[in-house]
Amino acid sequence: DAGVTQSPTHLIKTRGQQVTLRCSPKSGHDTVSWYQQALGQGPQFIFQYYEEEERQRGNFPDRFSGHQFPNYSSELNVNALLLGDSALYLCASSLWGTGDSYGYTFGSGTRLTVV
Amino acid sequence: AQSVTQLGSHVSVSEGALVLLRCNYSSSVPPYLFWYVQYPNQGLQLLLKYTTGATLVKGINGFEAEFKKSETSFHLTKPSAHMSDAAEYFCAVTRSGNTPLVFGKGTRLSVIA
């Protein structure tokens, strides 16, 4: 049973560029959440997608956007990259309405470095 | 708003010694509490969770945690540390099925031989 798959695993981008990160949820899950984990910090919630719509959003600027596809996979897009966007980006999947009971399954993350 | 405070950014124990990682939460509604572990260059793995019912929760790898409402705490313990327990541990809280997790800053556990 495949868990959460994220790609790529590592990425180096230049300031001002745009980046797209991808996530395939665990089989049977229909909800995808994205988190940013800066070095030495806990993960911070970016946004959550269900039924191809953004359902909740954390305190992140509009430069961060996302998409969910009919097969429940998701993309995270970041425009106009800043040095401060360097972080580990984690994707978490769940079944809508059950995150509190069953928790969220996390992928291994994409390490983004902005130079 | 919910929040989590993890006391001690770094904890060091000897192999075989008791592991105690502290977590205090703030929530205006009954919380759902989680502990996750992160090994170097990896994602988060769920150790255990408290939803409702029994306040002493057992998880994987011999870890357990006790929900104490009066102390707003959810400390993680393990009777005997193993070298393989060295990792970063995160406590998280949420309040409903779809509400995002709010994480603490993490505690790095080192195990000394």
Side-chain angles (χ1 to χ4, degrees), chain A residues 22-25 32 49 67-75:
Chain A
R22 296 176 175 82
C23 172
S24 293
V32 173
Y49 276 85
H67 188 77
Q68 186 180 34
F69 299 94
N71 67 352
Y72 309 123
S73 66
S74 176
E75 289 182 347

Side-chain angles (χ1 to χ4, degrees), chain B residues 1-102:
Chain B
Q2 295 180 302
S3 65
V4 171
T5 301
Q6 292 185 240
L7 297 176
S9 59
H10 183 208
V11 170
S12 185
V13 300
S14 299
E15 191 174 20
L18 171 71
V19 174
L20 172 60
L21 304 182
R22 299 179 187 274
C23 171
N24 288 89
Y25 69 91
S26 173
S27 178
S28 58
V29 297
Y32 297 88
L33 295 157
F34 303 82
W35 275 100
Y36 282 88
V37 61
Q38 185 176 39
Y39 297 101
N41 300 314
Q42 294 189 27
L44 302 175
Q45 180 183 4
L46 180 64
L47 272 179
L48 51 79
K49 62 184 185 293
Y50 168 77
T51 54
T52 58
T55 56
L56 182 62
V57 180
K58 295 186 183 298
I60 62 172
N61 301 338
F63 285 94
E64 63 181 38
E66 186 171 10
F67 170 62
K68 292 187 176 180
K69 183 178 178 180
S70 61
E71 299 177 7
T72 61
S73 69
F74 191 57
H75 302 329
L76 182 70
T77 61
K78 182 174 180 177
S80 177
H82 191 272
M83 297 297 288
S84 61
D85 295 327
E88 189 87 19
Y89 291 80
F90 293 95
C91 182
V93 64
T94 187
R95 59 181 172 84
S96 73
N98 300 317
T99 305
L101 293 169
V102 174

